[in-house]
Amino acid sequence: MSDVTKRALRLLALLQSRTVWSGPELAAEMAVTTRTVRRDVDRLREMGYPVLTSAGHGGGYQLGAGRELPPLLLSAQEAVAVAVGLRLTAASGLEGLDAEALRALAALDRLLPPTVRSEVSAVTDALGVVARPVPAARAEVLIALATAVRDGLRVRIDYEKGDGERGERRLEPRRVLAVDGRWYLFAWDLGREDWRTFRLDRMQAVHPSTFAITPRPTPDIERTVRESITVGAYTRAVTVRIRRPLHEVEKLVPVRAATVTADGSDDDACIVRAGSGSGDLRWVAMHLIGLGAPIEVIEPPELLTVLQDLSTWAGRAMLAPDAAGKPSAPGATASATAEPPDAPGAPGAPGAPEAPEAPEAPEVPEVPEAR
């Protein structure tokens, strides 16, 4: 393949990657002069690709619509990666994309060579995705927001809050994230002049604009979004020190349940923060106990009393007299079904919530907005 052909394919790939490129930007990406860029653009036009040119501020080169692009060439490993991605998309919680992803997977299967098709088939046949039901975000909402993030443009959204109130928000989108099966937008809210996190499933419509976003200092996006989901959306915050290394605790805490951060220079401890919507600390305490490490309460102080009460209650557990093949403990006369102090019902009792295997925050009653 000649250098000219390689450059033309590289230029075509760049034009597909974003909406508008200036001549100097393309020249810098391709390590050539702007004159060479103009010649390569002319070659693409001769081949039938509609490369549009606009003058003035914000102008440049743009790939127009109406032309089918060359066939996509994939290695065996790349084809497997695409197939796995499509299978995950089918269970991503995006309304309208599940069926499209399965159709795309079928189309991919028809296009692949036999050797690659057998490898992809072996992987996808063995792949299953188990996901809990979550409110679905519409595909057009995700696409519109992702495009605005890519192009650095402002948007207006029609947004419905948890209480059913609807309104319009003007935003400068920075990132779209999927967190534990639910989709969020991290953006600068122009009306509130602060960073906010929004749930995509509560967006009724997205209206892109042509106004560019304003460059401004941006916090750690993933950390800020996780903080808003796990703590900021609730009426009460809990902060504890867990005497166990950070990398071990992170594996035990789902991303939507709590934030886990380092405890300064202490490598054998970490800080866990979570929220409680009802103000009842008992279930939070039970999840913290499940981490299996010493706990130091930072806030609120009354969490320590809750933990101690649970310890006392658990210490009264005993072996049931009719335990299969097990002699009962001396003096044991009842099964271990004592309820926690003042609890509405013991785990497993009628009307009581079932304790999950890992700590998980309750359903967010309102859209979390990061500050």
Side-chain angles (χ1 to χ4, degrees):
M1 186 183 297
S2 69
D3 290 341
V4 173
T5 303
K6 291 179 180 178
R7 265 203 334 268
L9 291 175
R10 170 66 174 155
L11 176 59
L12 184 60
L14 289 172
L15 290 172
Q16 292 179 70
S17 67
R18 83 183 199 202
T19 304
V20 179
W21 288 85
S22 69
E25 287 175 331
L26 288 172
E29 287 285 336
M30 299 172 62
V32 297
T33 64
T34 54
R35 182 178 179 183
T36 300
V37 170
R38 288 195 296 270
R39 289 203 301 264
D40 289 341
V41 166
D42 290 338
R43 290 191 182 93
L44 289 179
R45 288 169 175 164
E46 290 173 1
M47 296 167 62
Y49 292 98
V51 182
L52 310 178
T53 306
S54 56
H57 178 70
Y61 296 104
Q62 181 178 11
L63 186 62
R67 169 76 186 195
E68 292 186 0
L69 299 180
L72 186 62
L73 302 178
L74 298 173
S75 68
Q77 292 77 13
E78 291 169 337
V80 170
V82 171
V84 171
L86 289 171
R87 181 60 63 89
L88 292 175
T89 301
S92 64
L94 290 173
E95 184 179 314
L97 276 192
D98 48 359
E100 296 295 338
L102 291 176
R103 280 195 288 269
L105 191 60
L108 178 67
D109 183 72
R110 291 193 299 270
L111 296 173
L112 294 175
T115 54
V116 178
R117 183 185 300 116
S118 63
E119 185 171 348
V120 170
S121 178
V123 172
T124 55
D125 287 348
L127 179 66
V129 180
V130 178
R132 59 178 182 166
V134 295
R138 293 199 296 275
E140 59 268 25
V141 167
L142 174 67
I143 293 172
L145 291 174
T147 302
V149 170
R150 181 196 67 185
D151 297 339
L153 299 176
R154 294 179 180 179
V155 299
R156 289 184 299 108
I157 63 171
D158 296 331
Y159 197 73
E160 182 175 335
K161 298 171 66 175
D163 58 5
E165 179 185 352
R166 296 180 60 172
E168 183 179 271
R169 309 288 279 268
R170 295 185 305 114
L171 310 174
E172 292 185 347
R174 284 300 196 279
R175 184 82 58 82
V176 179
L177 302 95
V179 182
D180 195 24
R182 178 168 286 161
W183 290 86
Y184 297 89
L185 170 70
F186 182 74
W188 178 264
D189 191 317
L190 292 165
R192 289 156 177 77
E193 296 186 347
D194 201 356
W195 296 106
R196 292 290 189 270
T197 302
F198 300 91
R199 282 170 45 174
L200 266 64
D201 60 276
R202 290 181 176 167
M203 295 183 187
Q204 306 303 310
V206 177
H207 309 283
S209 76
T210 57
F211 295 99
I213 63 175
T214 302
R216 64 181 83 249
T218 305
D220 184 316
I221 294 177
E222 293 186 10
R223 180 175 178 178
T224 305
V225 170
R226 185 169 178 176
E227 178 81 10
S228 73
I229 295 169
T230 58
V231 181
Y234 297 99
T235 58
R236 198 169 197 184
V238 170
T239 305
V240 300
R241 178 179 290 106
I242 302 296
R243 288 294 175 183
R244 190 170 179 178
L246 172 67
H247 68 276
E248 294 181 5
V249 176
E250 283 182 321
K251 297 176 182 178
L252 302 174
V253 179
V255 292
R256 289 188 64 242
T259 61
V260 186
T261 56
D263 184 22
S265 58
D266 191 345
D267 295 334
D268 294 325
C270 60
I271 301 297
V272 175
R273 298 191 70 227
S276 172
S278 64
D280 189 342
L281 299 175
R282 286 167 295 182
W283 287 109
V284 176
M286 292 180 72
H287 299 333
L288 291 173
I289 292 171
L291 296 177
I295 302 169
E296 295 179 6
V297 175
I298 298 176
E299 64 169 345
E302 53 266 35
L303 176 61
L304 178 60
T305 302
V306 175
L307 288 165
Q308 292 171 340
D309 288 345
L310 286 173
S311 176
T312 302
W313 164 73
R316 294 198 299 266
M318 60 191 70
L319 194 66
D322 56 347
K326 305 267 188 190
S328 60
T333 58
S335 61
T337 56
E339 295 186 1
D342 301 321
E354 181 181 351
E357 295 181 0
E360 183 175 355
E363 184 69 19
V364 179
E366 179 49 78
V367 55
E369 294 190 352
R371 296 186 177 275

